[in-house]
Amino acid sequence: MVNKVSDPVEWVNPLMGTDSKGSLSNGNTYPAICVPWGMNFWVPQTNVMGNGWQYQYSADRIRGFKQTHQPSPWMNDYGQFAIMPVTKRLVFRQDDRASWFSHKAETAKPYYYSVYLADADVKVEITPSERAAQFRFTYPQSDSSFVVIDAFDRGSHIKILPDERKIIGYTTRNSRGVPDNFKNYFIISFDKPFTLAFTWHDSTLVKDSLEMLANHSGAIIGFRTEKGEKISLKVASSFISVEQAELNLKREIGNDSFEVTARKAKAAWNAQLDRLSPEGGTVDEVRIFYSCLYRTLQFPQKHYEIDPKGAIVHYSPYNGQVLPGYMFAGTGFWDTFRALYPFLNLVYPSINKEMQEGLLNAYKEGGFLPEWSSPGYRNIMVGNNSASVVADAYIKGIRGYDIQSLYEALQKGANNEGPMTAVGRAGVKYYNELGYVPYDVNIRENAARTLEYAYDDFAIYQLAKILKRPQEEIELYRTRAMNYRNLFDPETKLMRGKNKDGSFQTPFNPFKWGDAFTEGNSWHYSWSVFHDVQGLINLMGGADMFTKMLDSVFKMSPVFDESYYRGVIHEIREMQIMNMGQYAHGNQPIQHMIYLYNYAGQPWKTQYWVRKAMQQLYKPTPDGYCGDEDNGQTSAWYVFSAIGFYPVCPGTTQYVIGTPLFRKMNINLENGKKFVIEAPLNNEMNFYVMDAKLNGLSWDKNWIDHSVIQSGGTLSFKMSALPNKARGTKKNSFPFSLSNK
């Protein structure tokens, strides 16, 4: 057992989830060398330029060390360029410069990365700041030691300044979601004079020019080195200008040594990771916990900079202008509204205040709130879940920004189609008139949209009440929040696509992925009534039938119908191999479902399945996730569940109780208070909650309120190997449902 963690960043494994590929995700992560919410990350690049799987654990060669802003391989990257040391031969193409490496000679920490490049006989070290980084290359004795800079293709510029020992340039390579004038400017400063300096473009070395503007630009500089000689590079970038990149470098690195930058980066991680301090878990549990917490603190990335006058400014990925204020990029609300943003509201509210201001700027500059930003609008996924992200923050007490304008943005998004189907609401006219998006009007994933719009309307309703909007407006969104009922099929007791004329779609296969649903089937999406579980219980025929339906998810075989996709997508395969029936934790729609037993009087089943999912589906290893770790969401599920509760319905102030993983968890709140979860008898067998006390008084509720946690105190659990089938079984113990209001 691990009693006390004093240096949490050392428990993080940045390689967790990196043993992934397009056909099977064990996380689809990469080792992000960064600081929390940093603007720039760094990654060893094993795959070819443009491959979203930029680092794969199974790879054996590194092609460069890349600045990255990639939120996931499916979204790919933007603002990217690479640095690579080579020796012996003057080579620069990515396959020619690539070097063999081994994980046995690799050290990956959030604040420090090192690897031995066997072909070059060079040790590489990297340490980051928010917008800059330091590199250190340890060379062999050689009169042919080089550094290659690759500004990537699709339009790039590079200029070598030998007298200043600098290289400047910009890259434009992106994966959509940017204006036409998008550039990522960079500056690289060396501590050793160049004895050779060439540029290159595409496959051609240019020896008579120190500047290159081409489709694919690069530079190569060289020098003689002694055995063990260390050459240092200081690197920074900016979305605004090369002058701003240089300012970022001076501000964040300046004259600091490599070791000083590493210490600062480590301290930045520990300051955030130390907000949660577990005690009494196994070594693996602590490693998984902090590795998941590391992931939750990465996205969205800061997309803002500090100008020469000290003002916060940003390049707008919505209109291409440089404007005042905050901006963030790299998150999809379809994933992260569920647990990631509620987690920030609980533990890191000040950073989410900045994010809310960034959302307001996105609305002002683009006309709609983004639902997936990378860095601007991206046309992927469904729903209008910015409503949840905005409402949950305000409802949980975050203040100091223009909530009235954000509410205006929510209304616009809820009542209009956007510039693309993933922004605003596709099918909004049907939804507002019929109460659902029909199956037969050529709007894909219509049932998923309907269910998410209904929940999003609930979030708007909750915010409208606090903002004292007109009663007619409040009631409109409350009424729309009940639209989920329009898709409930009493025959199958599941959600089902419905045609424009009011008839259900036929034929109906509840195991069919996609079609009316998004990356899942009816058995996954039928639980997406976060705000009115009691209403869903009523539709299903009462608590007994509801729990039988929940039980069925785990009892059924992992059968599937993939015909909509014309092939087995990776999410299907991940459900199939996890051996938990139809429970598909590797994708987001069903992740809250385990907690729903609390609404039907059988909380011990939540406790059983939460612990089983944590033990079976997460490992502190390169194959450590059971599907995509999407922008911190799947990690936030683990972190919340390890604490002992989960935000089933963002937009309310309740967290639904599960089973704590550790014997003690200290939550060091931003307001200076501490909330402690105690479970001294907790172990692998004792995962059932026999009894609970809140600040010394008996607590029979299946939930705990946000305000109680923020006030500080202690929630104590008495744990047992046998379930207590009496506790939490009465209706006054159940969490919030809109039907009970």
Side-chain angles (χ1 to χ4, degrees):
M1 287 286 176
V2 178
N3 291 324
K4 191 79 174 173
V5 175
S6 59
D7 202 4
V9 72
E10 299 299 336
W11 290 83
V12 173
N13 179 13
L15 301 182
M16 180 175 167
T18 60
D19 189 11
S20 299
K21 53 191 175 184
S23 59
L24 185 69
S25 174
N26 287 309
N28 270 339
T29 64
Y30 55 86
I33 315 308
C34 60
V35 295
W37 306 292
M39 188 176 89
N40 302 327
F41 295 1
W42 289 90
V43 60
Q45 179 191 350
T46 63
N47 270 336
V48 297
M49 180 179 62
N51 189 318
W53 284 263
Q54 50 194 358
Y55 178 97
Q56 285 181 288
Y57 190 81
S58 58
D60 45 36
R61 295 205 304 166
I62 289 175
R63 289 176 164 82
F65 299 89
K66 190 176 82 160
Q67 185 185 93
T68 180
H69 303 91
Q70 178 172 294
S72 83
W74 307 108
M75 305 303 290
N76 217 303
D77 209 352
Y78 62 93
Q80 54 202 301
F81 62 95
I83 300 171
M84 183 68 173
V86 297
T87 59
K88 302 166 190 171
R89 296 184 302 125
L90 197 157
V91 293
F92 57 89
R93 289 186 292 259
Q94 59 178 329
D95 289 340
D96 296 336
R97 70 189 187 227
S99 176
W100 283 76
F101 81 106
S102 168
H103 299 298
K104 300 176 182 67
E106 178 187 44
T107 299
K109 300 178 184 294
Y111 64 92
Y112 171 82
Y113 178 87
S114 73
V115 69
Y116 175 67
L117 300 178
D119 293 304
D121 190 20
V122 172
K123 180 182 179 181
V124 174
E125 298 172 276
I126 310 171
T127 189
S129 69
E130 283 191 346
R131 299 167 189 84
Q134 294 216 49
F135 283 69
R136 187 162 62 192
F137 300 148
T138 304
Y139 282 93
Q141 182 175 351
S142 174
D143 60 0
S144 301
S145 293
F146 307 103
V147 176
V148 176
I149 311 299
D150 188 341
F152 284 23
D153 61 355
R154 300 184 187 172
S156 52
H157 170 257
I158 207 153
K159 184 176 183 179
I160 305 172
L161 305 170
D163 293 343
E164 300 178 54
R165 296 186 301 205
K166 290 179 181 176
I167 297 175
I168 61 174
Y170 64 76
T171 176
T172 66
R173 197 179 214 283
N174 65 82
S175 305
R176 301 179 303 280
V178 298
D180 291 340
N181 69 344
F182 170 81
K183 292 182 177 70
N184 184 232
Y185 301 88
F186 57 82
I187 179 169
I188 306 168
S189 175
F190 295 77
D191 69 348
K192 185 179 176 72
F194 314 151
T195 56
L196 174 150
F198 301 146
T199 57
W200 55 270
H201 66 87
D202 304 301
S203 297
T204 304
L205 186 67
V206 181
K207 295 186 177 182
D208 59 355
S209 177
L210 296 177
E211 186 170 9
M212 181 59 60
L213 176 64
N215 172 61
H216 188 173
S217 303
I220 183 164
I221 55 101
F223 20 65
R224 284 192 177 87
T225 55
E226 301 297 325
K227 182 176 175 57
E229 183 176 354
K230 292 177 170 59
I231 295 178
S232 295
L233 290 68
K234 295 180 178 180
V235 188
S237 74
S238 167
F239 295 108
I240 296 171
S241 67
V242 71
E243 293 79 15
Q244 181 66 46
E246 187 160 22
L247 182 59
N248 293 342
L249 186 61
K250 287 178 180 176
R251 274 211 179 103
E252 297 187 11
I253 302 292
N255 295 320
D256 286 354
S257 67
F258 185 95
E259 287 76 15
V260 167
T261 299
R263 282 200 298 272
K264 287 181 177 179
K266 180 175 181 177
W269 275 109
N270 274 338
Q272 304 300 344
L273 295 174
D274 211 29
R275 299 285 282 282
L276 294 171
S277 181
E279 300 177 25
T282 67
V283 167
D284 276 1
E285 287 166 350
V286 175
R287 285 176 174 160
I288 298 168
F289 180 81
Y290 279 118
S291 297
C292 286
L293 185 52
Y294 153 79
R295 280 290 303 183
T296 67
L297 304 184
Q298 289 180 27
F299 295 100
Q301 295 172 312
K302 294 177 179 177
H303 195 79
Y304 65 82
E305 303 172 57
I306 303 169
D307 74 7
K309 296 180 181 178
I312 302 293
V313 294
H314 65 272
Y315 166 82
S316 173
Y318 300 96
N319 64 19
Q321 300 176 34
V322 176
L323 296 165
Y326 292 104
M327 181 62 64
F328 287 78
T331 187
F333 295 155
W334 184 84
D335 304 294
T336 53
F337 86 84
R338 304 164 194 271
L340 186 279
Y341 279 92
F343 180 70
L344 297 180
N345 292 330
L346 178 64
V347 186
Y348 306 97
S350 62
I351 192 69
N352 201 13
K353 176 180 177 290
E354 291 185 12
M355 293 172 186
Q356 298 298 314
E357 293 186 58
L359 283 174
L360 180 56
N361 288 327
Y363 170 61
K364 290 176 178 177
E365 294 157 23
F368 282 85
L369 289 174
E371 302 297 337
W372 233 116
S373 65
S374 185
Y377 298 126
R378 296 291 293 273
N379 198 21
I380 187 170
M381 308 314 292
V382 304
N384 179 219
N385 298 309
S386 55
S388 175
V389 172
V390 170
D392 194 56
Y394 198 79
I395 286 164
K396 287 176 178 162
I398 300 180
R399 296 292 186 272
Y401 53 95
D402 184 359
I403 188 62
Q404 298 293 343
S405 293
L406 274 175
Y407 182 81
E408 172 192 297
L410 297 191
Q411 283 195 296
K412 183 176 180 181
N415 293 290
N416 293 277
E417 294 195 344
M420 56 190 70
T421 57
V423 175
R425 291 187 179 181
V428 66
K429 186 172 183 292
Y430 293 111
Y431 176 81
N432 287 353
E433 290 179 2
L434 301 175
Y436 61 94
V437 180
Y439 180 81
D440 58 347
V441 294
N442 295 317
I443 298 175
R444 62 184 181 84
E445 299 161 283
N446 39 80
R449 293 181 195 275
T450 298
L451 293 170
E452 295 195 30
Y453 294 167
Y455 161 69
D456 296 328
D457 283 331
F458 166 78
I460 297 171
Y461 158 71
Q462 290 283 86
L463 183 57
K465 287 192 297 180
I466 292 180
L467 297 180
K468 296 181 168 53
R469 301 292 299 179
Q471 192 61 36
E472 182 182 357
E473 184 176 302
I474 293 171
E475 286 303 315
L476 172 67
Y477 289 106
R478 190 188 195 283
T479 300
R480 288 182 183 173
M482 291 300 189
N483 280 342
Y484 72 89
R485 297 183 298 190
N486 295 325
L487 295 190
F488 184 79
D489 172 20
E491 182 182 344
T492 62
K493 295 181 172 57
L494 294 169
M495 297 296 174
R496 182 173 176 178
K498 182 177 276 190
N499 295 319
K500 187 179 177 182
D501 66 4
S503 62
F504 282 113
Q505 64 161 113
T506 54
F508 174 58
N509 181 354
F511 301 107
K512 185 177 184 179
W513 282 62
D515 197 17
F517 300 98
T518 302
E519 294 181 2
N521 63 35
S522 181
W523 276 104
H524 304 145
Y525 249 98
S526 291
W527 315 105
S528 294
V529 188
F530 315 95
H531 57 295
D532 194 21
V533 180
Q534 184 60 54
L536 184 60
I537 291 171
N538 296 342
L539 289 174
M540 287 189 176
D544 287 345
M545 180 55 69
F546 180 78
T547 54
K548 286 177 182 176
M549 293 289 285
L550 288 171
D551 293 342
S552 295
V553 171
F554 301 107
K555 291 178 179 178
M556 290 184 292
S557 298
V559 298
F560 55 85
D561 174 355
E562 78 285 15
S563 60
Y564 176 79
Y565 296 111
R566 300 180 182 176
V568 178
I569 62 173
H570 74 96
E571 290 92 347
I572 294 176
R573 190 68 71 209
E574 288 143 18
M575 177 196 75
Q576 184 188 33
I577 64 177
M578 286 304 113
N579 193 29
M580 290 181 72
Q582 286 291 317
Y583 183 67
H585 191 85
N587 211 18
Q588 283 67 42
I590 204 171
Q591 287 180 353
H592 69 293
M593 166 257 173
I594 288 178
Y595 284 88
L596 300 188
Y597 289 103
N598 282 289
Y599 296 74
Q602 296 188 14
W604 62 91
K605 289 184 178 178
T606 285
Q607 296 152 25
Y608 173 85
W609 287 112
V610 166
R611 184 62 65 90
K612 185 171 179 61
M614 296 182 78
Q615 290 176 337
Q616 182 170 320
L617 305 181
Y618 294 78
K619 307 292 178 186
T621 54
D623 64 345
Y625 291 100
C626 60
D628 281 355
E629 202 308 287
D630 280 318
N631 312 115
Q633 165 57 31
T634 299
S635 289
W637 185 95
Y638 187 94
V639 171
F640 262 125
S641 296
I643 292 170
F645 46 72
Y646 186 79
V648 168
C649 185
T652 69
T653 57
Q654 293 183 359
Y655 303 95
V656 179
I657 291 173
T659 176
L661 181 63
F662 299 98
R663 293 184 180 179
K664 187 175 184 181
M665 175 67 73
N666 304 290
I667 306 176
N668 301 306
L669 298 163
E670 201 169 85
N671 63 11
K673 306 258 178 91
K674 178 183 284 191
F675 192 80
V676 180
I677 294 93
E678 294 179 337
L681 301 179
N682 205 349
N683 59 36
E684 186 176 353
M685 302 302 296
N686 291 354
F687 54 80
Y688 288 113
V689 174
M690 287 296 292
D691 189 23
K693 291 184 177 180
L694 179 61
N695 298 325
L697 300 177
S698 179
W699 186 253
D700 65 349
K701 309 295 185 190
N702 294 340
W703 53 273
I704 186 169
D705 196 80
H706 179 81
S707 63
V708 171
I709 297 171
Q710 292 295 317
S711 298
T714 302
L715 179 61
S716 300
F717 292 102
K718 182 180 179 182
M719 309 300 289
S720 171
L722 298 174
N724 180 353
K725 296 187 178 181
R727 185 194 171 277
T729 59
K730 296 183 175 63
K731 285 207 168 185
N732 61 6
S733 294
F734 298 173
F736 169 90
S737 285
L738 186 57
S739 286
N740 290 337
K741 289 269 295 182

